Amino acid sequence: MGESSQGVTVVALLADPDAPTEVAQRIAKDLPDRLANAFDGQREFSVEVVSEPFTAGTEDLSALTRRLVDRASEENWDVVVALTDLPLHAGRRKLAADLSHEHGLALLSLPSLGGLRFHRRARRAVERAVLSLVDGRPADAPEPRRPRPLRPLAGRFAGVRSGPVDDEETADRRYVVSGPGGYLRVLGGMVRANRPWRLIPGLSKALAAALASGAIATVNSTVWNLAIALDTTRLVIATIGSMALMIGWLIVDAHLWDRATGDSPQARTRAALYNASTVLTLSIGVLVCYVGLLIINLLWALFIINGEVFASMTKSPLHAAEYWTLAWFVASVATVGGALGSGLESDEAIRAAAYSKREQERRRMLEDEDD
């Protein structure tokens, strides 16, 4: 790996569609300057972002690396950093990064970065990967010198360590995530890659149904009597039950549940990760919707309910506690109504919550390109 003939080191950020492409575009804005500063301005860098589904159809590391090497050979790239949001596996461990200094190639699995400080970690990981690959073989050296360690992955964060690489593999340095903490780290990264905040606009029809249900329930005297008769434990159970119903209905209606495609431990682990990330993503989205419904219902109750009418119907005075209890109970009732409304949503609206859906779309993209 050396400099291009123009004296500029060309770095390609090859990213899967959706979240990896957004990450790559954000990193590319200041990556050339950061890389040049690492060489005290004595080396110039150019960064290109290429968005294409390079992982579609396979999660085998050897096959992925060969695909990346073939893809890089078609272009005038000096260094290639491939970014994917898939949780890749290296044996029984989850892959964080593979580096091949011979081919100037790095493969980064973004979920291994975790869900916190995601963009900062991604930028540092990409930067260190490029520096390691560039430092592995200077332009005027016949043999590669020992590459510098990828510190943001190997030394700074718990649960990530160097992993073994077989002699027949293209990669010469590997970093893996291990242990229960590593599993949670990857799961958090997958939820972050799912971008649960994008689920809320996609549930517009469900929210409309929930708001309508809540508005009607708020002025129903039967609901008033039920609300003031419930204690906190039952209100909490109603909250959990209504949210679970909404999440379960979304999963069933949109076919978001992933099934293992084989009997291997990797296939079962992958399916478990996919499903866990889907449930957590939907839980975050539904929880935000629930809190919004609670606030709206509380404001609606404050505006519409008359204290004397309420007291005559329930034999209980209307105070702040009654307003809060009613809004809380109505939010649960409205969430059940929203679950029925979610059946009107298209798969496109909530596909971002499921890795399997995105993977299927990427395979279709590859098939369309082949055609």
Side-chain angles (χ1 to χ4, degrees):
M1 198 284 303
E3 280 188 298
S4 62
S5 57
Q6 292 80 13
V8 178
T9 301
V10 180
V11 178
L13 301 182
L14 184 62
D16 270 332
D18 298 316
T21 296
E22 293 183 8
V23 171
Q25 291 172 343
R26 185 168 179 173
I27 292 174
K29 293 180 181 179
D30 61 354
L31 184 60
D33 293 336
R34 295 177 65 90
L35 294 173
N37 291 337
F39 285 91
D40 298 325
Q42 298 180 3
R43 197 161 189 167
E44 187 177 352
F45 292 85
S46 173
V47 177
E48 301 178 10
V49 176
V50 180
S51 178
E52 59 184 48
F54 67 89
T55 58
T58 181
E59 294 182 11
D60 178 69
L61 292 180
S62 298
L64 277 177
T65 304
R66 289 194 299 269
R67 180 182 291 179
L68 292 172
V69 170
D70 293 340
R71 180 68 178 87
S73 65
E74 301 172 359
E75 307 287 346
N76 185 31
W77 297 333
D78 299 306
V79 175
V80 178
V81 180
L83 305 175
T84 181
D85 55 357
L86 291 182
L88 301 176
H89 291 81
R92 295 187 176 182
R93 294 184 175 91
K94 286 164 277 296
L95 179 77
D98 259 359
L99 277 74
S100 173
H101 292 82
E102 178 184 357
H103 297 92
L105 174 67
L107 171 63
L108 300 181
S109 179
L110 294 176
S112 66
L113 300 175
L116 301 176
R117 296 182 295 175
F118 179 77
H119 285 287
R120 179 182 178 184
R121 290 179 175 180
R123 184 184 70 243
R124 294 190 62 187
V126 170
E127 180 182 350
R128 288 291 184 175
V130 174
L131 292 177
S132 179
L133 295 173
V134 171
D135 198 42
R137 183 191 292 273
D140 57 353
E143 295 295 334
R145 64 176 184 255
R146 188 175 182 180
R148 69 180 71 178
L150 198 57
R151 297 188 185 280
L153 292 175
R156 185 175 177 83
F157 304 112
V160 180
R161 63 188 65 182
S162 297
V165 183
D166 296 335
D167 294 337
E168 63 272 13
E169 294 191 65
T170 304
D172 52 48
R173 188 177 288 271
R174 172 168 293 165
Y175 300 94
V176 296
V177 180
S178 60
Y183 181 93
L184 294 177
R185 175 192 179 96
V186 171
L187 183 58
M190 293 175 68
V191 173
R192 174 61 178 76
N194 276 342
R195 295 165 294 180
W197 56 89
R198 296 184 60 180
L199 179 66
I200 299 173
L203 291 176
S204 58
K205 294 183 178 64
L207 285 172
L211 289 172
S213 300
I216 295 172
T218 302
V219 296
N220 189 299
S221 60
T222 302
V223 175
W224 296 352
N225 284 287
L226 286 173
I228 64 173
L230 296 176
D231 55 19
T232 302
T233 301
R234 292 190 177 186
L235 287 171
V236 171
I237 293 175
T239 298
I240 296 174
S242 62
M243 291 180 58
L245 179 62
M246 169 74 98
I247 295 167
W249 178 251
L250 288 172
I251 291 174
V252 172
D253 185 61
H255 308 287
L256 299 182
W257 197 256
D258 188 67
R259 298 183 182 276
T261 55
D263 295 330
S264 66
Q266 291 83 358
R268 291 193 294 270
T269 301
R270 180 177 63 249
L273 277 171
Y274 280 13
N275 292 329
S277 66
T278 297
V279 171
L280 286 175
T281 301
L282 291 175
S283 297
I284 293 173
V286 172
L287 177 60
V288 172
C289 292
Y290 187 93
V291 173
L293 286 172
L294 193 154
I295 295 173
I296 293 173
N297 289 329
L298 179 59
L299 295 175
W300 175 241
L302 289 170
F303 173 76
I304 201 68
I305 297 179
N306 179 275
E308 294 182 359
V309 175
F310 183 90
S312 66
M313 291 292 181
T314 63
K315 311 303 180 184
S316 176
L318 182 60
H319 300 305
E322 282 71 29
Y323 275 117
W324 171 254
T325 301
L326 177 62
W328 188 355
F329 179 60
V330 169
S332 299
V333 174
T335 300
V336 175
L340 299 177
S342 67
L344 303 174
E345 307 287 355
S346 64
D347 284 356
E348 181 69 19
I350 58 175
R351 68 174 180 82
Y355 267 74
S356 56
K357 288 289 183 181
R358 293 208 297 273
E359 181 65 7
Q360 291 170 10
E361 181 176 336
R362 291 170 188 173
R363 292 180 183 180
R364 286 196 297 270
M365 292 173 63
L366 277 183
E367 291 173 357
D368 292 342
E369 291 178 0
D370 293 340
D371 293 340

